[in-house]
Amino acid sequence: MATMYEMLMQLPLFQGVSVDQMTRILEVTPFEFQSYGVDEPIIRGGDPCLGTAFLLSGSVRLVTPVFNHRVVITQSFDAPYIFSLHHLFGAEVQVRSTMVSKTDKTGIMVLKKKDFLRILHENEIALINTFFFLGGWGGKQHKAIDFYL
């Protein structure tokens, strides 16, 4: 079984963070851990985005309605992954997608926005990783829109 440090280091946000930096983050940050069974909803579309969710174990299905609910896009993600990050900083602060657990014992870690922002303010590597993640997400969405139009 992986240690908490090893699990967190697999997440895109913390890749490259040193052991000392990770120890400081773990000492002062209130992480919330949740577990879900098969087909349990984790995040519901339309809910306000108050933080970000990290997929630590298992896999999830993300269901996103588009084009005024005429089309539904379904995506699958395996751990490790980060969700709702783009809603923390954008004009659209409500979650559009519904996230449902695909596997038994899907592990999620939730980090509130204020704690996430504190980590970014105190750790340059986490900040750079966030920029890369947001930049990559935006590019993927742009390509998907071009493909569908």
Side-chain angles (χ1 to χ4, degrees):
M1 175 171 279
T3 66
M4 177 61 63
Y5 173 78
E6 291 167 338
M7 286 175 56
L8 293 176
M9 292 306 292
Q10 293 177 4
L11 297 171
L13 176 67
F14 298 118
Q15 290 180 357
V17 174
S18 73
V19 175
D20 291 339
Q21 291 171 327
M22 197 69 224
T23 301
R24 277 184 293 221
I25 290 170
L26 288 171
E27 288 174 346
V28 298
T29 305
F31 294 104
E32 181 181 332
F33 296 92
Q34 303 167 350
S35 183
Y36 295 88
V38 177
D39 291 329
E40 277 191 73
I42 299 168
I43 297 173
R44 296 183 190 276
D47 287 349
C49 183
L50 304 175
T52 189
F54 299 86
L55 178 61
L56 298 178
S57 62
S59 60
V60 297
R61 181 175 59 251
L62 210 61
V63 180
T64 309
V66 293
F67 299 115
N68 213 15
H69 294 273
R70 292 181 291 181
V71 176
V72 176
I73 297 173
T74 302
Q75 300 169 285
S76 293
F77 294 92
D78 296 317
Y81 202 77
I82 183 171
F83 295 95
S84 302
L85 189 56
H86 50 280
H87 291 294
L88 288 178
F89 305 107
E92 187 177 337
V93 294
Q94 287 185 321
V95 179
R96 295 185 64 206
S97 304
T98 296
M99 185 189 321
V100 178
S101 175
K102 285 178 56 178
T103 57
D104 195 33
K105 297 183 182 177
T106 297
I108 301 289
M109 179 182 73
V110 178
L111 187 57
K112 292 183 180 173
K113 182 177 182 175
K114 68 178 180 104
D115 297 315
F116 182 76
L117 291 175
R118 184 185 43 73
I119 289 171
L120 296 184
H121 180 71
E122 295 174 359
N123 191 295
E124 293 172 350
I125 294 173
L127 179 63
I128 290 169
N129 288 342
T130 300
F131 287 148
F132 282 136
F133 186 85
L134 288 172
W137 180 85
K140 289 177 189 173
Q141 296 304 312
H142 179 71
K143 288 179 186 175
I145 290 170
D146 285 346
F147 176 75
Y148 286 108
L149 296 179

